[in-house]
Amino acid sequence: MRPCIDVAALVLTELVTNAFQHGGGEDITVTWCADVTHLTMRVEDSSPVRPVLRAVDETSEGGRGLGIVEALADAWGVSEDGRTVHCALALAEYAARA
């Protein structure tokens, strides 16, 4: 189960960092839940500015957070009001690696 914990920690760190940097750094709420198939995480901030996936290259100093989330999560998205980013990790994939 360790790979899932490592991936979840990285994804959550990226989402919370984005909330601090781009969401004003106040009123950040983190929620997560797990069932037998998925770990779902949500990070909500107070900014109505919708997060967007950026195109970056090797010289970019930032902008990789949502790219990391997209690469590691099985699903992710942004709420209609732009305040919440959510993602899901399939637990079966990580259990198979253990």
Side-chain angles (χ1 to χ4, degrees):
M1 196 59 130
R2 184 73 201 175
C4 182
I5 293 169
D6 293 341
V7 170
L10 177 57
V11 169
L12 187 58
T13 298
E14 292 299 333
L15 294 178
V16 171
T17 298
N18 283 351
F20 273 108
Q21 289 181 339
H22 306 291
E26 296 180 15
D27 297 323
I28 295 171
T29 303
V30 175
T31 58
W32 65 88
C33 64
D35 58 26
V36 295
T37 61
H38 288 87
L39 169 64
T40 303
M41 298 179 283
R42 291 177 180 83
V43 176
E44 180 180 359
D45 62 42
S46 57
S47 174
V49 178
R50 191 173 177 80
V52 294
L53 183 63
R54 294 190 213 170
V56 296
D57 61 28
E58 64 275 355
T59 63
S60 300
E61 292 185 18
R64 291 179 177 79
L66 286 180
I68 291 170
V69 173
E70 181 175 71
L72 296 176
D74 293 286
W76 75 279
V78 180
S79 64
E80 297 238 354
D81 65 3
R83 296 179 191 270
T84 305
V85 178
H86 55 88
C87 67
L89 302 175
L91 297 177
E93 176 184 335
Y94 299 102
R97 293 184 198 171

